[in-house]
């Protein structure tokens, strides 16, 4: 079942009259809503795969084992353990590693990483270089911030991806037959009215006579972990 996720932005007629191009004002508001819906989508996925009970295996680092301890921690071995766990239970290799912003920030300066690349790189650690070190196809860095403060009250900002690292096996495209396994999929309903299965936008004047028009962006979507064994969480990778 696909839930309807939608947000509405009001566009006052006064603003339209003073706008250079009315359509541009609508586009900007639609884009702002799309960004919020996308952030919410990312947050739902992060909530699923940063919970150890939702994945096949996980470990929680603490103390000197956390990667901000440059003397005692061993991030390369920790990643190898996670990759071996996925392979042992599925026969498939982890091809994706998600790092939170804080985790990436620490790994860029970790002596073990610097030592691996010092003779072949200029000492600047990027996501592509880390992918080569960890032997995964790609590294995604989660940089999004969410505000969990209630409306009208003080802001409360936090990192969507916490301080975690998540190893995954994912597929590059949907395969309804299930031949190509993936840790999860995003499912979208293709509305016979909206079509396409993507986000849709619509505009209408306020039906109650308000001096504005409504701009709504929406999508019908659900996210599911379809093969939890293809994920491995390293929780609290940094302090």
């Amino acid at each position: 079942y696909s839930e309807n996720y939608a947000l509405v932005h009001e566009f006052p007629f006064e603003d339209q009259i003073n706008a250079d191009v009315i359509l541009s004002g609508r586009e900007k508001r639609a884009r702002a809503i799309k960004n919020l819906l996308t952030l919410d989508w990312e947050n739902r996925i992060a909530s699923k795969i940063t919970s150890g009970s939702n994945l096949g295996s996980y470990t929680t680092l603490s103390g000197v084992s956390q990667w901000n301890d440059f003397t005692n921690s061993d991030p390369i071995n920790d990643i190898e353990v996670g990759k071996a766990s996925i392979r042992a239970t599925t026969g498939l290799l982890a091809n994706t590693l998600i790092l939170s912003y804080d985790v990436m920030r620490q790994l860029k300066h970790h002596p073990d990483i610097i030592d691996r690349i010092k003779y072949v790189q200029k000492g600047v650690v990027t996501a592509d270089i880390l992918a080569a070190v960890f032997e995964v196809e790609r590294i995604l860095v989660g940089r999004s911030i969410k505000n969990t403060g209630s409306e009208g009250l003080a802001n409360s900002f936090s990192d969507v991806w916490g301080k975690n690292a998540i190893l995954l096996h994912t597929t590059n495209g949907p395969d309804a037959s299930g031949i190509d396994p993936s840790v999860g999929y995003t499912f979208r309903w293709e509305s016979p009215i909206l079509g396409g299965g993507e986000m849709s936008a619509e505009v209408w004047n306020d039906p109650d006579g308000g001096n504005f028009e409504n701009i709504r962006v929406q999508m019908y979507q659900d996210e599911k972990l379809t093969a939890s064994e293809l994920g491995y969480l390293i929780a609290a990778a940094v302090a």
Side-chain angles (χ1 to χ4, degrees):
Y1 180 80
S2 296
E3 297 284 353
N4 179 215
Y5 294 97
L7 289 171
V8 176
H9 203 307
E10 296 177 355
F11 192 5
F13 294 141
E14 294 92 336
D15 292 348
Q16 295 184 29
I17 292 172
N18 288 287
D20 293 331
V21 181
I22 293 177
L23 184 59
S24 177
R26 289 172 178 157
E27 289 175 346
K28 290 177 181 178
R29 285 162 173 80
R31 187 162 55 247
I33 297 173
K34 178 183 177 181
N35 290 341
L36 289 173
L37 290 173
T38 302
L39 175 61
D40 188 41
W41 174 14
E42 181 179 354
N43 186 56
R44 293 194 302 272
I45 292 176
S47 296
K48 288 179 182 291
I49 63 176
T50 57
S51 171
S53 60
N54 287 341
L55 296 181
S57 297
Y58 73 97
T59 186
T60 302
L61 304 184
S62 62
V64 298
S65 66
Q66 290 177 300
W67 298 343
N68 53 286
D69 187 323
F70 291 165
T71 302
N72 299 289
S73 65
D74 191 350
I76 296 175
N77 182 68
D78 292 336
I79 293 294
E80 287 297 321
V81 169
K83 290 165 58 181
S85 174
I86 292 175
R87 176 181 172 274
T89 56
T90 67
L92 297 171
L93 300 178
N95 57 18
T96 302
L97 174 60
I98 299 176
L99 303 174
S100 74
Y101 177 84
D102 285 340
V103 173
M104 179 65 179
R105 186 165 58 89
Q106 294 294 336
L107 286 178
K108 287 167 63 175
H109 303 287
H110 199 288
D112 289 1
I113 305 298
I114 300 297
D115 187 63
R116 288 288 184 100
I117 70 169
K118 64 184 179 181
Y119 297 118
V120 294
Q121 300 291 339
K122 295 180 179 180
V124 178
V125 180
T126 65
D128 288 342
I129 291 173
L130 266 183
V133 172
F134 291 139
E135 296 183 290
V136 293
E137 292 179 14
R138 62 176 180 167
I139 287 182
L140 305 176
V141 181
R143 297 182 173 89
S144 295
I145 294 290
K146 60 183 177 181
N147 181 6
T148 57
S150 299
E151 186 174 359
L153 300 179
N155 292 322
S156 179
F157 297 110
S158 60
D159 196 313
V160 168
W161 293 94
K163 298 185 177 183
N164 305 298
I166 311 103
L167 280 161
L168 308 167
H169 176 90
T170 63
T171 182
N172 291 326
D175 183 358
S177 67
I179 294 175
D180 194 3
S182 183
V183 67
Y185 281 100
T186 291
F187 298 92
R188 280 191 179 167
W189 175 56
E190 185 171 338
S191 164
I193 298 175
L194 302 176
E198 301 296 332
M199 290 186 186
S200 65
E202 54 187 330
V203 180
W204 71 94
N205 290 343
D206 179 55
D208 297 321
N211 199 28
F212 59 87
E213 67 181 18
N214 295 294
I215 300 171
R216 177 169 62 191
V217 177
Q218 64 182 348
M219 60 185 178
Y220 289 82
Q221 180 169 297
D222 193 16
E223 305 89 25
K224 291 292 185 182
L225 294 179
T226 51
S228 61
E229 301 88 348
L230 293 174
Y232 183 91
L233 169 67
I234 302 175
V238 299

